[in-house]
Amino acid sequence: MTKYLHRDNNLRALFSLIIHTGKVIIVNQPSNLKNRPGWVGKLLAAILLLLGIYMLAGGVWLISLGGNWYYAIAGVLSILSGVALFRGKAIAVLWFSLLFFGTLFWTISESGTDYWRWVPRFALILLLAIAFSFHLSTLLPRLQRKHSGAVTGVLVLTFIGAGGLAFLPHNTTEANGFPAPDGKNFSADTGTGTTSQEVKNDWPAYGGNLSAARYSSTSQITPANVSKLKVAWQTHAGDLPPGARWGTENTPIKVGDFLYVCTAANNIVALDPTTGKQKWRFDPKINRDALPYTPACRSLAYFDGTQKPSQQPSQPAPATASVYQHCDRRIILGTLDARVFEVDAQDGTRCTDFGNNGEVSILKDMGETYTGYVSITSGAVVIRDTIVVGHQVIDGQRVFGPPGVTKAYDVRTGKLKWAWDAANPEDATPKHGNDAYKRGSPNVWTSFTGDEKLGLVYLPVANPSGDYWSAPRTPAELKYGDSLVALDINTGLPRWNFQTTHHDIWDFDLGSPPTLVDYPQADGSKIPAIILPTKNAELYVLNRENGKPLFDVIEKPAPQGGTDPDKRSPTQPYSTFNSMRKPDLTPASTWGLTPLDQLYCRIKFQQADYRGAYTPGSIGRPFISYPGYNGGSDWGGVSVDPVNGLVIANYNNTVNYTEFVARSVADKLHVHPSDKIGYNLDTHASPLTPQSGAPFALNINPGWQNGFTGMLCNEPAYGGIRAIDLRTGHTVWDRPLGTARKNGPFGIPTGMPINIGTPNNGGSAVTKGGLVFIAAATDDLIRAIDIRTGKTVWSAPLPAGGQANPMVYEQNGKEYVVIEATGHHFMRTGKGDYVIAYALPDTI
């Protein structure tokens, strides 16, 4: 029986369908050579055919792994569409219509209103539909051109509209619940010394002062006038690093009439803060063979010897200090070849009374350290009269690498006062000999701070050298690894510790410096507190006097198993204050620009072991860590507005895709630690991480990048920034951080200001004027954000990547915002050695 289907007058000529013996055939459409498409149509047919073959093959593979059936079905329809189009068959319209509308309905079911999920599922199909629509009148001669043109027009307008939506904000929490003025001030009282004072004219420490709040009470630049901000001066720090590794990550410090900058080769450069002109330079002449993975010099330290920590600034200095003496004020430098220098803050000459002619080496009594394994990448911290120095041990080379011992020296003489090793935490007496400290013990590589009033230094302790293997760790290492540890500044012994990851095998070492605040109480007293951001995206708030959480921390069950299952912790700690953690991944949250790369990522997801956060790895199957080791908060830390009571936290939302490679296989591939085969990390970098001493090497895909396109396999946003109410932990606003202007497939910048939210490294600075200044993202922009709304109110392009924390000061009545833009190899941003200051013009 024949049944003809008719549409309205506009579409009546489009097609007539007949159902006969279970087959659908388009009739009343002649099929002859005139229906055959030209070379453009044949090219489209070939594209559909190739797309279909890929989708069918990959889709069948995905089905075999227990994945979604869409790709295989879409592959069949695409092949049928391509073959029919090439032959000029009208039935091509039916096959492609089924592909188009089937994809549309599937996209709606998997994506809902999530814009970024629509992109890989529907954008390419929509483009193909536009191209296919130009052949409708050829395939269906009775269809008038004006009708086929109308179809094309609708599709083009849909594509333009959908593309325009990319420029609108997505994944945002609009401003809500901004704290009402209540007269409370959350500024931390850390003492009375220079580095404990209000930050306005100066910025004497990495985080502004010992509170590490990165808050300046300057208020000249506001949301109302920031649009007029211009470059006040720009200079080159020098020492542009050679090779394939760069990223100084430096935040200058400023005291009086000097702005102090650290370069990639650890030169100290003193600049005039109003002009950027060099006043002096100190070159420690480091061993360039000792450069670590990243040649970072995050900060210098400052010591004012004319003022005791308890002395009030308003009181006159002691008579002996009334006339400045050489090295009364000192700049302290830690170097990439593991030395500590002190130089005079006025002229940059060595303080010869410190150590051996102005320097000490932290390598003494650390046993065999191997060239390039031990480096100081974060600034030392001075608490009272003691310098505390941590160091980095290069990741992934040896399970039993150099020890992670943290050392403390007399700030004037350089005498070693104590040495704290997390593997022997109850004895900080300096030890001697090659076996003085345990090999591979946890180190302190990131920035840290302290409280002169309480006499404590707060160390964010990393995990032991064998990041992904916990079997050989001692009970002490299991207790103090991945912990914030408060040490008595006089004895070096722990007062308390708080652990953020139990039995870590995901490289969740503490990478963020903590920030100090005081919580005002109704009776006028204050609770001294410390804010601890983490890579696993949890944000903890503790009493900094005793380490007890001020907001509950809940232990939740964690996945079990892995290479050493008996070492797994049954639970992991979650903060109830605030978490930047996103929902667990699902197959639907895999991403790509097209269904091609999304299918690749979806297959990879199905192949991996992923049971949510803290999934342990095993040999024989890749596993997913989400967030990965560059997730959450890293070395940039957070900033705090103590007047409004807000935490400003930028964060990453990235994944690690990791595979354990059996040691026998790694040995056959000649995967050995760098010291054993003597290669240069610039030219002989292996895709495998040796982790010598463990039963496996590592193949880590940080960020879970598609090996062909370079795009990430999880959906945007990849980075964000949020404001958090200190009183409650409520998220006041949250927005993606970073545009796609310098990012794109195959490493090709799109140039488009789409606020996709990029990975970011580096933190922010906050001012009393109501602005948050931050670079950090991979779009090479520095921006100002209105702290009340979260909206960007000013931005400027940088000549190199801005992976560093900005700082703010006032000089001669003018407010300056300064950033050192050196780029970063890991973030794939441009290399440079720029120091740039921004200010308002003299007349506005």
Side-chain angles (χ1 to χ4, degrees):
M1 179 179 178
T2 303
K3 179 179 180 182
Y4 291 93
L5 305 177
H6 297 282
R7 293 291 190 185
D8 57 29
N9 292 334
N10 288 334
L11 297 177
R12 187 170 297 156
L14 181 59
F15 60 84
S16 298
L17 297 178
I18 183 171
I19 301 176
H20 182 63
T21 62
K23 295 182 179 179
V24 181
I25 306 171
I26 294 184
V27 299
N28 293 338
Q29 303 296 343
S31 178
N32 52 47
L33 292 177
K34 291 183 179 181
N35 293 55
R36 296 289 178 91
W39 70 268
V40 175
K42 290 179 179 179
L43 177 60
L44 176 59
I47 291 172
L48 288 168
L49 182 62
L50 292 174
L51 173 67
I53 293 171
Y54 178 91
M55 296 275 281
L56 177 59
V60 170
W61 189 1
L62 184 63
I63 291 169
S64 72
L65 296 170
N68 194 279
W69 282 62
Y70 161 78
Y71 300 90
I73 296 171
V76 171
L77 292 173
S78 186
I79 290 171
L80 292 173
S81 300
V83 171
L85 175 61
F86 188 87
R87 297 175 62 190
K89 298 291 187 180
I91 200 171
V93 177
L94 175 62
W95 297 133
F96 190 84
S97 297
L98 290 173
L99 173 62
F100 180 84
F101 288 107
T103 300
L104 176 61
F105 295 142
W106 174 72
T107 300
I108 293 171
S109 68
E110 275 215 333
S111 305
T113 58
D114 187 329
Y115 176 80
W116 292 119
R117 287 196 180 189
W118 277 74
V119 172
R121 291 166 174 81
F122 201 64
L124 178 61
I125 298 299
L126 184 55
L127 276 173
L128 291 173
I130 292 171
F132 193 93
S133 69
F134 285 102
H135 301 281
L136 285 176
S137 60
T138 301
L139 294 168
L140 305 174
R142 294 190 178 185
L143 179 67
Q144 296 181 21
R145 285 190 177 274
K146 66 177 182 180
H147 296 141
S148 64
V151 173
T152 303
V154 169
L155 293 172
V156 169
L157 289 175
T158 301
F159 185 80
I160 293 172
L165 290 175
F167 296 90
L168 298 179
H170 301 281
N171 301 308
T172 64
T173 299
E174 296 298 336
N176 68 95
F178 191 90
D182 56 9
K184 293 182 178 179
N185 191 304
F186 292 83
S187 297
D189 179 7
T190 61
T192 58
T194 301
T195 54
S196 291
Q197 300 306 304
E198 176 188 47
V199 176
K200 184 177 182 182
N201 294 330
D202 291 335
W203 188 284
Y206 177 60
N209 57 18
L210 283 178
S211 74
R214 296 168 185 80
Y215 175 80
S216 172
S217 58
T218 53
S219 57
Q220 188 179 93
I221 305 171
T222 68
N225 62 23
V226 70
S227 62
K228 298 180 175 63
L229 208 61
K230 303 293 182 184
V231 174
W233 54 260
Q234 177 176 303
T235 190
H236 291 274
D239 300 326
L240 193 68
R245 291 170 292 138
W246 66 91
T248 311
E249 303 175 4
N250 179 246
T251 299
I253 61 173
K254 192 263 183 186
V255 182
D257 294 331
F258 292 85
L259 180 71
Y260 302 99
V261 174
C262 187
T263 74
N266 290 149
N267 283 206
I268 305 174
V269 184
L271 304 175
D272 185 308
T274 61
T275 66
K277 291 183 179 180
Q278 181 176 312
K279 291 189 171 185
W280 55 258
R281 176 184 290 263
F282 171 75
D283 184 355
K285 302 186 185 308
I286 64 170
N287 175 10
R288 291 183 181 259
D289 291 335
L291 295 185
Y293 175 71
T294 298
C297 182
R298 295 186 187 94
S299 182
L300 302 164
Y302 174 77
F303 173 69
D304 187 348
T306 67
Q307 190 177 69
K308 294 181 181 180
S310 59
Q311 180 186 330
Q312 295 293 336
S314 59
Q315 294 177 345
T320 56
S322 59
V323 177
Y324 183 82
Q325 302 292 320
H326 184 254
C327 287
D328 273 351
R329 300 182 179 92
R330 307 180 183 210
I331 301 299
I332 302 160
L333 165 71
T335 67
L336 298 173
D337 58 1
R339 293 178 290 166
V340 180
F341 288 83
E342 287 192 0
V343 301
D344 183 86
Q346 298 290 114
D347 61 20
T349 57
R350 292 183 183 232
C351 298
T352 55
D353 57 349
F354 178 79
N356 180 15
N357 191 34
E359 65 178 277
V360 297
S361 172
I362 68 169
L363 298 180
K364 186 178 180 182
D365 299 314
M366 284 180 61
E368 190 170 10
T369 54
Y370 317 112
T371 301
Y373 269 52
V374 177
S375 55
I376 302 171
T377 56
S378 296
V381 170
V382 181
I383 306 296
R384 297 178 179 173
D385 61 353
T386 301
I387 305 173
V388 184
V389 184
H391 66 270
Q392 169 187 294
V393 176
I394 191 169
D395 265 349
Q397 299 297 312
R398 290 179 172 273
V399 171
F400 300 104
V405 58
T406 298
K407 296 185 176 182
Y409 301 88
D410 185 290
V411 71
R412 294 179 176 84
T413 67
K415 179 182 178 182
L416 183 63
K417 299 179 75 171
W418 49 260
W420 184 77
D421 184 6
N424 186 20
E426 300 304 326
D427 183 4
T429 305
K431 313 293 188 304
H432 303 287
N434 288 336
D435 298 321
Y437 306 102
K438 181 182 179 297
R439 306 290 296 175
S441 60
N443 62 75
V444 179
W445 63 265
T446 195
S447 304
F448 53 94
T449 191
D451 187 327
E452 290 193 330
K453 188 176 180 181
L454 294 177
L456 295 175
V457 61
Y458 302 103
L459 302 182
V461 180
N463 47 1
S465 293
D467 293 327
Y468 292 82
W469 191 43
S470 61
R473 296 175 189 171
T474 66
E477 289 175 309
L478 291 173
K479 176 181 178 180
Y480 285 96
D482 285 16
S483 287
L484 183 65
V485 182
L487 298 183
D488 186 298
I489 195 63
N490 294 318
T491 66
L493 296 177
R495 292 259 194 97
W496 57 262
N497 79 293
F498 176 83
Q499 190 169 61
T500 61
T501 303
H502 307 319
H503 296 203
D504 178 19
I505 54 167
W506 305 274
D507 200 10
F508 281 157
D509 53 339
L510 290 181
S512 298
T515 295
L516 313 185
V517 297
D518 286 350
Y519 273 84
Q521 303 300 296
D523 61 1
S525 64
K526 292 189 175 184
I527 298 176
I530 188 165
I531 301 169
L532 180 61
T534 62
K535 287 183 178 182
N536 56 20
E538 300 296 319
L539 195 63
Y540 303 96
V541 182
L542 314 172
N543 184 315
R544 71 174 182 270
E545 194 168 14
N546 56 35
K548 295 181 179 179
L550 296 182
F551 294 81
D552 288 343
V553 175
I554 300 173
E555 292 285 339
K556 296 182 181 181
Q560 299 297 290
T563 54
D564 42 2
D566 57 316
K567 298 292 185 178
R568 294 289 65 72
S569 171
T571 63
Q572 294 291 349
Y574 289 76
S575 173
T576 62
F577 173 70
N578 194 280
S579 174
M580 292 162 280
R581 189 186 300 274
K582 303 298 183 181
D584 285 349
L585 298 175
T586 66
S589 59
T590 54
W591 203 73
L593 276 181
T594 70
L596 302 177
D597 44 336
Q598 194 208 21
L599 174 56
Y600 167 86
C601 293
R602 208 150 179 163
I603 289 171
K604 287 291 186 181
F605 182 89
Q606 293 294 144
Q607 289 177 323
D609 182 10
Y610 177 67
R611 291 168 278 148
Y614 303 104
T615 297
S618 300
I619 296 173
R621 186 181 182 188
F623 70 101
I624 290 173
S625 298
Y626 180 61
Y629 63 49
N630 199 43
S633 181
D634 207 354
W635 51 263
V638 302
S639 58
V640 169
D641 178 345
V643 177
N644 289 308
L646 291 175
V647 179
I648 305 299
N650 58 297
Y651 59 91
N652 284 314
N653 180 40
T654 55
V655 182
N656 272 20
Y657 195 94
T658 305
E659 186 173 4
F660 290 168
V661 180
R663 179 58 56 194
S664 58
V665 176
D667 289 344
K668 290 178 181 178
L669 296 173
H670 305 290
V671 177
H672 302 293
S674 58
D675 63 277
K676 186 173 182 179
I677 59 177
Y679 60 65
N680 183 292
L681 287 175
D682 284 338
T683 56
H684 294 85
S686 168
L688 298 183
T689 301
Q691 198 163 266
S692 177
F696 50 84
L698 304 170
N699 185 1
I700 305 175
N701 183 344
W704 192 14
Q705 298 179 24
N706 184 313
F708 181 62
T709 66
M711 302 296 287
L712 304 187
C713 277
N714 65 306
E715 64 178 301
Y718 305 118
I721 185 167
R722 70 172 50 171
I724 304 163
D725 190 333
L726 261 173
R727 304 160 185 81
T728 62
H730 167 71
T731 296
V732 176
W733 50 258
D734 190 331
R735 303 180 75 86
L737 176 65
T739 68
R741 64 184 295 267
K742 285 294 187 80
N743 302 277
F746 309 104
I748 302 172
T750 66
M752 293 188 290
I754 299 173
N755 198 20
I756 196 170
T758 73
N760 56 88
N761 269 163
S764 62
V766 183
T767 69
K768 187 179 180 180
L771 292 170
V772 179
F773 290 99
I774 188 168
T778 58
D779 58 3
D780 296 356
L781 293 175
I782 183 170
R783 48 181 52 83
I785 297 171
D786 187 327
I787 198 168
R788 289 185 169 273
T789 65
K791 295 180 179 179
T792 298
V793 290
W794 169 85
S795 66
L798 295 169
Q803 281 65 56
N805 291 27
M807 48 89 73
V808 184
Y809 59 85
E810 189 172 294
Q811 184 78 0
N812 300 330
K814 183 184 283 288
E815 180 179 343
Y816 294 86
V817 178
V818 174
I819 189 168
E820 185 171 357
T822 64
H824 205 289
H825 67 107
F826 180 76
M827 305 299 286
R828 300 181 182 179
T829 57
K831 182 190 300 187
D833 64 340
Y834 302 90
V835 184
I836 308 168
Y838 300 88
L840 294 173
D842 292 332
T843 56
I844 56 173

